[in-house]
Amino acid sequence: MAIAAAITVPLTTPTRRPSLSSISANPIRFSSPITPQSKNLKFAKQCPKFSISAASSMKVEAPQNTSFLDRKETGFVHFVKYHGLGNDFILVDNRDTTEPKVTPDKAAKLCDRNFGIGADGVIFAMPGVNGTDYTMRIFNSDGSEPEMCGNGIRCLAKFIAELENSHGKRSFTIHTGAGLIVPEIQDDGKVRVDMGEPILKASDVPTKLPPNRDQSAVKSRLDVDGRAWNVTCVSMGNPHCVTFGTEQSQDLQVDELNLAEIGPKFEHHVMFPARTNTEFVQVFSPTHLKMRVWERGAGETLACGTGACAVVVAAVLEGLAARQRCTVDLPGGPLDIEWSEKDNHIYMTGPAEVVFYGSVPL
């Protein structure tokens, strides 16, 4: 698979970007418009273009005066790669059709970190429905389609702002498989997202664990690999299983867990008919939590926005956190989560950054 990509140095260094050597088996074209901005480097149209072949030869061409995303080469899909705290996505402008321009199988290949672009998923900015501004669809790195993605929707909001060439504070209404989501770009560049109300009814999460608090499964016993875990089940439009420890110990040290071994056993547990995302949480204080996540269809990732929201809800339900603004530390960085008592909605605030621009042949 040949990949043509325009590379920019990101505002924050992504943790898991593949090196050129990891994809050198295929011919690659790179064009890197770069300009210094204070201590960082960012994309600019009025800069020299560098073309680097697989043999690492370089030539400097004339500056580009047109937007990369306005290119219309037949047989290519243009994209921008973004990351939200290291949870990375391939963003595709799909506003001209209601069908994704990339199939699930192709998306899985593009997400491959050795033979593709490398990402946790492919996100499509599609026409809005029922009066919304846009529709969001996403294919995971295994080709499956989740209902929504918290870090992904922040990236989508920044992508839409770029497509519309809008600046400053701006909000969008976005139709997703989890319902209406409203992200708002803040003056500082972060994105605050109204994630709606958490779903706590066990059968709607869904989980087969019997309800033990009203209709919810809170601090329920789940047997996994010979150990009895305490779990609370929450849906943010997608299913989450949150655990703060086992029946023997609630003092979970998340950095000591082997998620690659235990994560799939939660994801595919018989108690979760639609599979589940799983968050393992360490409590520092009622307003400071730390989590690692095993995502359904993607494995361990550096961040999960819906997961951070579910963690705060579970912590409140188990009496471990106050119902106020809470910092959730993820491997990729912190998210600010608030479960509002005023409207019962969850509000998530965090960054979304460009990694690079590129084109891939269909």
Side-chain angles (χ1 to χ4, degrees):
M1 176 173 61
I3 300 173
I7 304 295
T8 73
V9 178
L11 300 177
T12 58
T13 304
T15 307
R16 290 168 48 190
R17 189 168 67 188
S19 65
L20 291 182
S21 61
S22 68
I23 51 177
S24 60
N26 296 308
I28 304 170
R29 293 185 290 114
F30 293 98
S31 57
S32 299
I34 301 174
T35 183
Q37 298 288 334
S38 64
K39 295 181 180 180
N40 300 308
L41 298 176
K42 64 183 289 187
F43 176 77
K45 291 184 282 188
Q46 303 294 332
C47 342
K49 171 183 169 185
F50 301 90
S51 295
I52 307 174
S53 70
S56 297
S57 61
M58 179 184 294
K59 74 173 184 176
V60 179
E61 299 177 359
Q64 294 177 314
N65 295 313
T66 58
S67 169
F68 177 82
L69 291 172
D70 287 339
R71 298 179 182 179
K72 302 295 181 184
E73 292 97 331
T74 302
F76 279 80
V77 169
H78 301 303
F79 66 88
V80 183
K81 184 173 177 182
Y82 277 82
H83 79 92
L85 299 179
N87 197 190
D88 54 345
F89 305 95
I90 299 162
L91 277 294
V92 176
D93 182 1
N94 214 115
R95 293 173 297 169
D96 57 346
T97 175
T98 58
E99 289 298 321
K101 294 180 178 179
V102 176
T103 66
D105 286 345
K106 181 72 170 180
K109 292 178 181 178
L110 294 178
C111 290
D112 190 288
R113 298 189 182 278
N114 293 310
F115 297 101
I117 298 164
D120 292 319
V122 180
I123 295 175
F124 306 90
M126 306 181 75
V129 297
N130 301 324
T132 59
D133 296 324
Y134 294 95
T135 294
M136 171 187 180
R137 288 186 66 182
I138 175 172
F139 293 146
N140 284 325
S141 58
D142 68 351
S144 62
E145 183 172 3
E147 299 85 352
M148 220 283 287
C149 175
N151 287 314
I153 204 161
R154 296 201 316 275
C155 293
L156 178 63
K158 296 292 283 284
F159 181 57
I160 290 170
E162 180 176 7
L163 292 174
E164 293 187 352
N165 195 28
S166 63
H167 304 279
K169 200 166 186 176
R170 177 72 194 279
S171 65
F172 309 95
T173 55
I174 299 179
H175 173 75
T176 76
L180 174 66
I181 303 293
V182 184
E184 181 180 72
I185 299 173
Q186 305 291 288
D187 290 332
D188 62 2
K190 290 184 178 180
V191 183
R192 185 173 189 260
V193 186
D194 180 350
M195 301 287 286
E197 296 187 60
I199 298 167
L200 301 176
K201 185 178 179 180
S203 59
D204 290 342
V205 172
T207 179
K208 294 180 181 179
L209 288 170
N212 59 3
R213 184 183 298 181
D214 296 327
Q215 300 182 69
S216 307
V218 178
K219 205 172 181 179
S220 298
R221 175 180 172 133
L222 182 72
D223 293 315
V224 180
D225 202 26
R227 300 178 71 187
W229 294 80
N230 290 325
V231 303
T232 293
C233 298
V234 179
S235 172
M236 293 303 306
N238 56 352
H240 292 271
C241 169
V242 181
T243 181
F244 299 90
T246 64
E247 287 189 343
Q248 290 72 35
S249 174
Q250 285 286 94
D251 185 23
L252 192 60
Q253 302 297 307
V254 295
D255 290 335
E256 297 176 4
L257 294 173
N258 183 350
L259 253 60
E261 178 182 350
I262 195 169
K265 295 175 183 178
F266 277 83
E267 177 183 355
H268 298 279
H269 199 285
V270 67
M271 288 294 153
F272 303 111
R275 297 190 293 166
T276 191
N277 303 280
T278 308
E279 287 76 34
F280 301 85
V281 191
Q282 187 171 344
V283 180
F284 294 132
S285 78
T287 58
H288 188 190
L289 309 172
K290 180 180 181 179
M291 66 172 259
R292 288 176 66 192
V293 58
W294 182 268
E295 289 200 53
R296 178 186 60 165
E300 183 176 9
T301 61
L302 296 179
C304 177
T306 56
C309 295
V311 160
V312 170
V313 172
V316 171
L317 293 176
E318 293 196 25
L320 300 172
R323 190 160 173 172
Q324 56 186 291
R325 188 165 296 174
C326 188
T327 298
V328 181
D329 289 336
L330 305 100
L335 284 174
D336 182 79
I337 309 294
E338 179 185 2
W339 187 8
S340 172
E341 291 189 89
K342 181 179 179 180
D343 59 10
N344 204 42
H345 285 213
I346 306 289
Y347 293 88
M348 170 189 64
T349 303
E353 305 286 358
V354 170
V355 181
F356 62 84
Y357 299 73
S359 300
V360 62
L362 289 175

